[in-house]
Amino acid sequence: MLLQLKISNYRSIKDEITFSFFANSNKEKTESLLDYKGMKVLPVIAVFGTNGTGKTSICSALCEVFSLVAYYKDTDDISGTSFVPFSFDEGTKNSPSKVELIFVCKGTKYKYGFSADGRKIVDEYLYEYKSSRGALIFERKNTIDYKFTVEYKKLKNYTEDNPWNRLFLCEALKSEVSEIKDVFEFLTMDFCVINNQSLLEDNLFVDFFRRCGNDPEVKKFAMSLLKIMDPSIADYVCYHPERQYPPIRSYTTGQNNLRGSERFKIIREIREKNGEVRKYELPVSMESAGTQLLFAYSNYIYDAFKNGTVIIIDDLNGSIHPRVIRTLIEMFQDPNVNKVGAQLIFTSQDISLLDLNLFRRDEVLFLEKNQETVSTELYPLSMFSVRVSENIQKGYVQGKYGKG
């Protein structure tokens, strides 16, 4: 369960922006709220903004966190990080980017954060909260200076072998300290960042079939989503999933020509003029981008509802009908579907979703670009005096929710 996220000095983000999942005291959709020790937590945060306001910067920062943790073994002595600071200010362009997450894993609250420039990890820290006051597990400053409490002093044995461009969290896995392992597993298994373009790559469709294509519950869930978009879809099948085909580049379209995905078929039932219903197969690569994306989403969303995963999707509205998107959002808000505390963060430009019949007021955030500094600024809808009956789609178009 994610409770708070902070990002600063990364790409379009100059000053720190904070995403809080703690619900405020309003009485809207209270049945949808998650619970952490009596505190109410939001299942959904929707981030709206026009082009260039920083929506992708948020998802990209979280992708970088995942990559640094999940692929730490690929780190060598000469590779750097992919963190890029805000470049349009003399005070930030040579300073590190910063990310901090507060989350709950296996019933314990943690605060984990770090700063990094393009070459190295600068600072890093991990706290656990077994009470209201955080207890330090480790702290790293100036890349090579470490601090530990007595309880975790054995972690010091792993500092000398930790490269300057690797998170100490990953090196400390060798210690077999349970808290380190739990945080690592949260960031790699319970924290999923989805980029639409990567989902359209062939290997992910094959991976979907290998891991859950024969699972009847996953198929039932995937089909329920696909049928919302297209009732004629009756089934799907993958032929020869053991074969590997790397995606190749089509120079005429600039898009991946998914040769391998010709093996993956969507099956439709079509009623002929004589009344007979016949089945037809179509390669998934020939389906619309929206159908492909929804199919790929289904695996991750099913896993979220099964294991309580946090899902972050950049441009959720991309190519998918708003009616289907609304259904996905409502599933995360429905305690009968979302039984184990799954959460959804998504960015969108689709203002048709701006509806207080769909969202609580504290579930909606707006991004704007500061016209003087060209940096990203965050404005929660809840900071404005908005009535529950207000047409926030109209208010957003009129520029009511922002710096103005």
Side-chain angles (χ1 to χ4, degrees):
M1 180 184 295
L2 187 60
L3 301 179
Q4 186 175 276
L5 166 67
K6 293 182 178 181
I7 305 172
S8 62
N9 195 30
Y10 179 73
R11 293 196 175 186
S12 68
I13 302 168
K14 177 186 177 184
D15 299 321
E16 182 178 88
I17 60 174
T18 300
F19 298 84
S20 174
F21 272 88
F22 286 110
N24 61 27
S25 59
N26 73 55
K27 303 303 181 182
E28 308 152 40
K29 296 182 178 292
T30 54
E31 70 284 354
S32 71
L33 298 177
L34 311 177
D35 183 82
Y36 171 65
K37 294 186 176 181
M39 294 179 285
K40 299 304 179 182
V41 180
L42 301 172
V44 174
I45 282 186
V47 184
F48 294 90
T50 59
N51 290 329
T53 54
K55 300 187 301 298
T56 298
S57 292
I58 295 165
C59 295
S60 179
L62 295 175
C63 277
E64 298 295 351
V65 174
F66 175 82
S67 296
L68 279 174
V69 178
Y71 304 117
Y72 75 95
K73 292 182 179 179
D74 296 336
T75 303
D76 55 40
D77 292 337
I78 60 173
S79 63
T81 77
S82 299
F83 279 91
V84 179
F86 181 77
S87 301
F88 303 117
D89 184 273
E90 292 299 320
T92 60
K93 67 179 183 179
N94 294 315
S95 298
S97 304
K98 298 180 181 179
V99 180
E100 179 186 277
L101 302 98
I102 299 178
F103 55 91
V104 179
C105 179
K106 296 184 178 179
T108 299
K109 176 181 168 183
Y110 294 95
K111 179 167 69 175
Y112 176 67
F114 64 88
S115 63
D117 57 27
R119 296 179 55 252
K120 62 187 180 299
I121 308 300
V122 179
D123 300 318
E124 186 181 1
Y125 52 88
L126 176 62
Y127 289 82
E128 63 175 336
Y129 289 78
K130 293 182 178 178
S131 64
S132 60
R133 185 174 181 178
L136 177 71
I137 295 180
F138 73 80
E139 184 179 60
R140 176 186 187 182
K141 291 187 176 181
N142 303 316
T143 305
I144 60 173
D145 298 327
Y146 293 87
K147 178 182 178 181
F148 308 95
T149 52
V150 174
E151 184 178 356
Y152 297 100
K153 64 180 180 179
K154 77 173 186 177
L155 294 175
K156 185 177 180 180
N157 299 329
Y158 303 93
T159 59
E160 292 185 4
D161 293 331
N162 190 49
W164 43 267
N165 51 358
R166 177 184 294 173
L167 294 170
F168 180 69
L169 175 74
C170 302
E171 188 69 21
L173 277 174
K174 298 175 183 177
S175 69
E176 299 185 353
V177 170
S178 61
E179 290 82 357
I180 297 290
K181 181 181 179 182
D182 289 347
V183 171
F184 179 88
E185 289 183 351
F186 175 85
L187 294 174
T188 55
M189 299 177 65
D190 298 336
F191 190 76
C192 178
V193 186
I194 298 177
N195 175 279
N196 288 345
Q197 184 58 46
S198 67
L199 284 185
L200 299 181
E201 295 179 0
D202 171 56
N203 61 323
L204 288 175
F205 285 103
V206 176
D207 183 57
F208 171 91
F209 186 83
R210 280 179 170 167
R211 288 186 290 116
C212 51
N214 293 320
D215 186 327
E217 291 301 315
V218 177
K219 174 168 280 195
K220 180 181 178 181
F221 182 79
M223 291 305 304
S224 69
L225 294 181
L226 291 169
K227 280 184 171 292
I228 297 172
M229 177 175 284
D230 188 342
S232 71
I233 296 176
D235 203 353
Y236 59 79
V237 65
C238 182
Y239 298 103
H240 308 297
E242 74 282 356
R243 297 179 185 174
Q244 290 291 337
Y245 296 92
I248 59 175
R249 176 67 61 180
S250 169
Y251 292 99
T252 56
T253 65
Q255 300 295 321
N256 282 333
N257 179 9
L258 306 180
R259 179 176 60 183
S261 66
E262 299 298 313
R263 299 168 287 145
F264 211 109
K265 311 285 186 178
I266 298 292
I267 300 173
R268 281 182 167 77
E269 291 182 343
I270 306 298
R271 185 174 297 278
E272 307 287 354
K273 290 183 178 180
N274 62 5
E276 180 183 357
V277 176
R278 301 188 64 178
K279 292 184 178 182
Y280 294 87
E281 295 182 354
L282 191 68
V284 69
S285 59
M286 295 180 65
E287 294 284 353
S288 70
T291 299
Q292 293 185 49
L293 284 172
L294 187 60
F295 181 84
Y297 285 166
S298 64
N299 173 40
Y300 297 98
I301 295 172
Y302 175 84
D303 182 71
F305 292 144
K306 183 178 180 181
N307 299 306
T309 305
V310 180
I311 294 183
I312 300 97
I313 304 179
D314 187 23
D315 192 22
L316 178 59
N317 60 297
S319 307
I320 299 179
H321 195 279
R323 175 168 51 88
V324 182
I325 300 300
R326 291 179 73 99
T327 299
L328 292 178
I329 294 167
E330 289 169 347
M331 291 173 75
F332 279 86
Q333 297 170 328
D334 185 349
N336 295 315
V337 177
N338 187 7
K339 299 178 180 180
V340 292
Q343 292 172 290
L344 172 67
I345 307 174
F346 72 91
T347 67
S348 178
Q349 298 184 68
D350 185 0
I351 63 172
S352 71
L353 295 173
L354 284 171
D355 182 357
L356 291 181
N357 291 314
L358 178 62
F359 295 110
R360 288 170 50 95
R361 284 170 288 182
D362 49 3
E363 290 179 327
V364 178
L365 308 177
F366 299 108
L367 293 181
E368 285 191 2
K369 179 186 286 186
N370 185 300
Q371 295 304 308
E372 296 180 358
T373 65
V374 299
S375 62
T376 295
E377 294 181 342
L378 178 69
Y379 296 95
L381 177 64
S382 57
M383 71 180 290
F384 304 96
S385 298
V386 178
R387 300 185 305 276
V388 178
S389 59
E390 188 166 326
N391 185 335
I392 60 172
Q393 180 181 146
K394 181 179 179 181
Y396 177 66
V397 172
Q398 293 174 342
K400 292 177 62 176
Y401 316 127
K403 193 172 183 179

